Amino acid sequence: LLASATVLMGLQVWGQSGQKEPKRPKIGVALSGGAALGLYHVGVLQWFEEHRIPVDYIAGTSMGGLVGGLYATGHRAQEMKEFVKAIDWEDALRLSPAYADLSFRRKEDSRAYPTLFELGLKQGLQLPPGLSPGHGVGKVITRFAAPYEKLDSFDDLPIPFRCVASELISGQQVVFDKGPLFDALRSTMSLPALFAPWRVGGKLLVDGGTLNNLPVDLVRKMGADIVIAVALETPPITGKDVKSFFGVAGRSISIMIMDNERRSLALADIVVAADLKGFTSTQYDRGDDFFKVGYEGAASKASVLGRFSLSQEEYEEHIRQRLQRRRPETIAPQFIEISGTTPSTATEISATFDIDTKGKPLDRKALEADLDRVTGYGPYSSADYGFTKKDGADGLDLRIHQKEHAPPTLNLLLLLDGASGEGLRFGVGGRVTFLDVLKPRAEWRTDFNIGRINEISTEYYMPLGRSRIFVAPRAGYAKGEIPFYSGDDRIATVDTDNTVAGVDAGFAQSRFTEWRLGYNHTRSSAEVSDGAPIFAGVDGRFNRLRLRHAFDSMDSNLVPRHGIRAASEAQWVLNSPRSGAGFLVLDAQISAAHTFNRQWSMVSSVAGGTKPDRADRIPTFTLGGLTKVSSLGRNQLYGNNYYYGGTTVLRSLSQHPSLLGRFYAALLGEMGRAFMENQSKMPYFSGSIGVVGETPLGLIFFGYSLGDKGQSKLQFRLGRLF
């Protein structure tokens, strides 16, 4: 009754006759949160515009805050639709920097240790504060919020605006009504556990949905006579929806949100809602469908909303006044300021940016790419920017945000490898990395692996000055075993023991390419521990020179969809226990990924290597096992020469962007052979079919392999594949 009376009073004022400039009621809109479901708000606002319903105030929470903030900056509904459809949601929701944006050494980390979580050692062992640091969603916000820095009041926006966040320490609601618009929106979008909390003025802020998901009260306080609440009418859940951890957690949060939304709905004068049955909160790529549902939801309230419609002339004047307060979306920067890091590091970062400060309009797409690469260095979680002024000149305020939990970092690896007839092998490993050790850009990283492989190794990487030339002393120890076969029968197991020390000098050409020239001294032993005495034991020292080139332009450490990865190495062995004369060992691999369309892609690989048999009868190369002629046993083929070729065709089974990655149906064809000079060089052929999935623990594969000579295996692997 109270809400109805408020609407009637507003209509009475609006309907008074005899006034030259009739006073109309001020209309405010409150937009609720709801992740992807909140895109429905855009359709509601489109209906308002088409029917000339003025919006004098707007407020929102979470996705409602993002949509409300975009509208408050003067964007029309059609512009908003185009803005939303242009968003790369996989990039916006990315849990870590894109693989292509990582520095070369961070790519090495990501490939060797492909688990989702990077643990921090800055203050003891810590998980990151969120699955995603929020860099991607920060880029989306910056695209329209950058011009609105340091606002004395959000009332100065084209449409007065408010949004809500929750302060983690006190548990209190925080209302943003001034300051940088970016900080307000990044805070209200910080869904707990998904996105890392955002720090503003000493406060640790997350999504305000649990406290005020539909901020009707704020719109009323801003001065609105009529408050329209745009709520989300989600479908009822079933018992199967709350059987998983995520289902239970999600439902618990939803219950808290629903309770505070009910209180807000009771304070609204008009409620616009639509049936979102068939939609989920993760379907960000269904923008057009959400817009349609929102438009229809507003249309269903036409009999009430239509009473607030302005004449064409009045509405055009309303829009004109709004657009007068809209700021330019780009500038020609004359200076750059970088905060969040040391002055020397800021100078180095600035030097990598391709920004013209002599009057050329800012290329915002190129700037985003530069900021993406900043997050790929290692110590930074996110980077953003805003427009600023100093002495009347336009400039850029670049903000670099340090990780709170690292460095140092600990990257972990879990390996499970099983095949029918061979049992299951297990391994666990890790890499500890210290950054800026003794000097800027220097790194000390140590690897350890236990189980399938037992080893420990360490390297100190030291750039020379500010150049790309580096020196890298290293040392390591490894103990393992190699199975030997006669045909399909395993006849022996050879235990190996290696201690190595060496030093490399190299050139870090780019984030794609690295060159190394080095010297290795190795103490090595090998002896038969089980089965036939196929050769006498070896115990001695190897000294060798090594030249290595590596290139990696692929887009993923798990399932690449485009790019090339290549590595080639030449070793000149100066001496070995079995050979007094020097000899050359060559090895090279190259892989290429290609995408045909959104569903289909392909990864192809070729490899080969050689060493003269006279140099050493102990075989250097092996083949056999998953992605190494999969139908054969692990390391079933061995020799001083090998060649390999394989192609995997993949079809994505995922229909929508996922926070955790994709699943694929996979078809793999392979051929190859490892051999000594006096053995057959004819290839073995293998075909495999299975499912490949990207998981928080790395890549998972389950399938069946069949060889040309009748060999067959069920295969399972967790860890690495390509």
Side-chain angles (χ1 to χ4, degrees):
L1 290 174
L2 178 60
S4 300
T6 305
V7 174
L8 289 173
M9 289 173 63
L11 290 173
Q12 287 171 358
V13 172
W14 175 236
Q16 288 175 355
S17 59
Q19 290 180 293
K20 292 182 180 180
E21 297 181 0
K23 180 183 177 183
R24 67 172 179 85
K26 295 293 184 180
I27 298 173
V29 176
L31 305 178
S32 67
L37 301 175
L39 297 176
Y40 139 96
H41 299 318
V42 177
V44 173
L45 295 172
Q46 180 186 8
W47 190 93
F48 285 2
E49 286 193 357
E50 290 183 6
H51 294 80
R52 303 187 300 279
I53 310 298
V55 177
D56 301 295
Y57 307 99
I58 193 164
T61 299
S62 194
M63 182 60 81
L66 183 68
V67 173
L70 181 59
Y71 199 58
T73 54
H75 289 75
R76 305 293 299 277
Q78 185 59 38
E79 291 178 287
M80 295 171 69
K81 291 171 69 173
E82 293 170 0
F83 181 92
V84 170
K85 288 193 286 187
I87 295 172
D88 180 346
W89 287 105
E90 288 194 53
D91 181 62
L93 301 174
R94 196 180 298 279
L95 301 183
S96 57
Y99 184 77
D101 293 324
L102 297 177
S103 66
F104 188 83
R105 288 180 68 80
R106 299 294 78 78
K107 286 179 180 177
E108 289 181 322
D109 295 343
S110 184
R111 284 202 67 225
Y113 300 90
T115 50
L116 174 63
F117 300 108
E118 173 194 77
L119 301 179
L121 301 173
K122 182 181 283 187
Q123 297 175 332
L125 188 63
Q126 287 182 301
L127 283 168
L131 286 175
S132 168
H135 175 70
V137 75
K139 287 193 298 182
V140 173
I141 295 169
T142 303
R143 289 168 193 166
F144 66 89
Y148 301 95
E149 289 282 296
K150 302 176 182 177
L151 292 171
D152 293 331
S153 171
F154 284 178
D155 291 344
D156 297 333
L157 289 163
I159 302 175
F161 171 70
R162 302 288 187 271
C163 67
V164 180
S166 301
E167 209 283 312
L168 275 181
I169 306 302
S170 67
Q172 298 297 308
Q173 172 180 284
V174 174
V175 177
F176 281 93
D177 58 3
K178 61 182 178 181
L181 183 60
F182 177 89
D183 282 344
L185 297 178
R186 178 61 182 81
S187 299
T188 197
M189 285 290 292
S190 295
L191 189 65
L194 175 57
F195 294 121
W198 196 245
R199 288 189 180 274
V200 178
K203 295 179 179 179
L204 195 60
L205 303 171
V206 295
D207 187 317
T210 55
L211 296 178
N212 193 353
N213 197 53
L214 184 59
V216 171
D217 57 330
L218 299 186
V219 179
R220 184 79 69 190
K221 290 177 182 177
M222 293 168 74
D225 300 308
I226 302 296
V227 179
I228 303 171
V230 185
L232 304 177
E233 189 175 298
T234 55
I237 68 163
T238 63
K240 66 180 182 180
D241 297 322
V242 290
K243 290 185 176 180
S244 70
F245 167 80
F246 291 107
V248 172
R251 181 55 178 169
S252 300
I253 294 173
S254 295
I255 290 172
M256 290 186 287
I257 291 174
M258 287 166 57
D259 183 59
N260 73 61
E261 269 199 6
R262 289 191 192 99
R263 295 193 298 270
S264 295
L265 289 171
L267 300 174
D269 302 308
I270 302 170
V271 176
V272 174
D275 184 4
L276 290 167
K277 184 178 181 180
F279 293 93
T280 72
S281 60
T282 61
Q283 293 175 327
Y284 291 93
D285 59 345
R286 295 187 64 182
D288 284 333
D289 296 327
F290 283 121
F291 304 155
K292 182 181 178 182
V293 172
Y295 188 93
E296 292 171 350
S300 69
K301 295 286 186 176
S303 60
V304 177
L305 294 172
R307 300 174 186 177
F308 301 106
S309 178
L310 302 181
S311 68
Q312 187 68 36
E313 181 180 350
E314 290 168 330
Y315 192 71
E316 288 177 357
E317 175 61 21
H318 172 74
I319 296 299
R320 187 189 67 80
Q321 292 181 13
R322 180 192 301 177
L323 295 180
Q324 281 183 336
R325 297 190 295 274
R326 185 170 174 177
R327 297 182 180 181
E329 294 190 353
T330 191
I331 59 172
Q334 299 177 50
F335 66 91
I336 301 172
E337 295 180 339
I338 299 179
S339 60
T341 187
T342 64
S344 60
T345 302
T347 300
E348 289 189 10
I349 291 175
S350 179
T352 66
F353 285 8
D354 185 20
I355 300 175
D356 190 308
T357 56
K358 298 180 180 179
K360 185 178 179 180
L362 177 66
D363 184 340
R364 298 184 69 176
K365 188 173 182 179
L367 177 57
E368 282 189 7
D370 288 335
L371 294 177
D372 287 343
R373 288 190 284 272
V374 167
T375 66
Y377 293 160
Y380 310 115
S381 61
S382 63
D384 56 77
Y385 67 95
F387 301 160
T388 188
K389 281 186 177 291
K390 185 167 63 176
D391 299 328
D394 289 325
L396 276 179
D397 180 15
L398 304 181
R399 300 175 290 259
I400 313 298
H401 305 282
Q402 301 270 350
K403 292 178 179 177
E404 296 202 9
H405 68 299
T409 59
L410 170 60
N411 298 94
L412 294 175
L413 173 67
L414 178 65
L415 285 173
L416 290 174
D417 194 359
S420 54
E422 298 182 20
L424 184 68
R425 294 195 303 170
F426 170 81
V428 63
R431 170 172 288 172
V432 179
T433 305
F434 294 82
L435 300 180
D436 298 326
V437 179
L438 301 182
K439 60 176 297 183
R441 299 192 298 133
E443 301 180 12
W444 177 28
R445 71 184 185 191
T446 300
D447 295 314
F448 62 89
N449 289 280
I450 302 170
R452 200 182 82 169
I453 303 170
N454 295 288
E455 67 175 353
I456 184 168
S457 61
T458 190
E459 177 186 82
Y460 179 65
Y461 174 93
M462 182 178 67
L464 300 182
R466 292 188 175 181
S467 73
R468 296 182 179 180
I469 299 172
F470 64 87
V471 176
R474 49 196 165 75
Y477 171 79
K479 184 177 181 63
E481 63 177 37
I482 302 174
F484 279 75
Y485 288 79
S486 176
D488 291 334
D489 298 323
R490 182 168 174 168
I491 60 172
T493 300
V494 175
D495 288 346
T496 62
D497 194 291
N498 295 284
T499 303
V500 61
V503 62
D504 289 339
F507 179 61
Q509 183 173 340
S510 68
R511 70 180 191 278
F512 304 113
T513 307
E514 183 184 84
W515 296 84
R516 286 186 178 229
L517 175 63
Y519 169 79
N520 280 5
H521 174 79
T522 305
R523 173 66 184 266
S524 180
S525 66
E527 61 180 1
V528 177
S529 62
D530 181 51
I534 56 176
F535 65 84
V538 176
D539 189 351
R541 291 178 170 84
F542 294 79
N543 292 286
R544 67 191 75 188
L545 298 174
R546 180 183 77 153
L547 175 64
R548 176 178 173 80
H549 170 259
F551 175 84
D552 189 350
S553 67
M554 284 190 169
D555 66 325
S556 174
N557 63 327
L558 295 177
V559 180
R561 293 176 63 82
H562 59 79
I564 293 173
R565 182 180 295 128
S568 56
E569 184 170 287
Q571 294 187 39
W572 181 255
V573 180
L574 302 172
N575 66 283
S576 72
R578 293 290 187 94
S579 174
F583 57 89
L584 185 65
V585 181
L586 299 175
D587 189 15
Q589 308 95 33
I590 184 169
S591 299
H594 177 73
T595 298
F596 298 103
N597 54 44
R598 187 174 181 180
Q599 296 294 323
W600 292 90
S601 61
M602 179 177 72
V603 181
S604 298
S605 301
V606 294
T610 185
K611 180 184 80 171
D613 277 7
R614 65 170 177 78
D616 198 333
R617 295 296 299 175
I618 300 176
T620 298
F621 307 109
T622 64
L623 283 178
L626 190 58
T627 69
K628 295 175 64 179
V629 187
S630 302
S631 61
L632 300 178
R634 301 185 193 104
N635 303 318
Q636 182 173 335
L637 304 178
Y638 50 87
N640 283 337
N641 306 275
Y642 86 103
Y643 62 88
Y644 171 84
T647 293
T648 305
V649 178
L650 300 127
R651 186 189 187 281
S652 175
L653 303 177
S654 306
Q655 299 300 314
H656 304 289
S658 168
L659 293 174
L660 300 180
R662 296 174 180 265
F663 274 77
Y664 303 83
L667 182 64
L668 169 63
E670 301 169 276
M671 55 85 70
R673 182 95 187 206
F675 56 92
M676 305 297 280
E677 289 180 359
N678 60 350
Q679 294 178 333
S680 171
K681 301 171 180 60
M682 295 300 293
Y684 284 81
F685 294 89
S686 175
S688 304
I689 187 170
V691 175
V692 175
E694 297 169 331
T695 78
L697 297 178
L699 206 62
I700 190 170
F701 173 86
F702 180 77
Y704 174 76
S705 301
L706 179 64
D708 62 323
K709 295 178 174 55
Q711 313 97 325
S712 63
K713 292 182 181 298
L714 286 174
Q715 306 267 12
F716 171 81
R717 176 174 292 176
L718 173 65
R720 299 184 291 252
L721 189 63
F722 297 106

